[in-house]
Amino acid sequence: MRVAPLFSTLAFSFVALTSLPSWAYRDYFTPEQKALLDKIQTVRIEAIALADQGAVDAAPIAELVAVG
């Protein structure tokens, strides 16, 4: 008969933890910074591609990111 209290405790803990905001959440931007981010129209992309033979052409990676 110890299963019922254990199950109810686990169920309560699950419900309590899922309804609370995340403890690990951190807001990295101030409201002023968020307002500036909303105004961004152009993003500069610089890509570097390295392989086991050394540097390779990164243009395809930059193009993929620019299209996506």
Side-chain angles (χ1 to χ4, degrees):
M1 290 296 162
R2 293 184 182 188
V3 175
L6 177 63
F7 179 72
S8 63
T9 303
L10 289 174
F12 176 74
S13 298
F14 178 74
V15 171
L17 290 176
T18 56
S19 64
L20 296 174
S22 175
W23 295 333
Y25 177 77
R26 179 176 172 195
D27 203 7
Y28 290 100
F29 298 111
T30 65
E32 294 82 15
Q33 290 171 325
K34 289 179 182 179
L36 290 173
L37 286 172
D38 287 337
K39 295 179 183 180
I40 292 176
Q41 296 179 358
T42 305
V43 177
R44 180 179 175 173
I45 299 169
E46 291 185 21
I48 299 173
L50 300 175
D52 55 345
Q53 296 90 13
V56 294
D57 183 26
I61 295 172
E63 290 175 17
L64 179 67
V65 172
V67 173

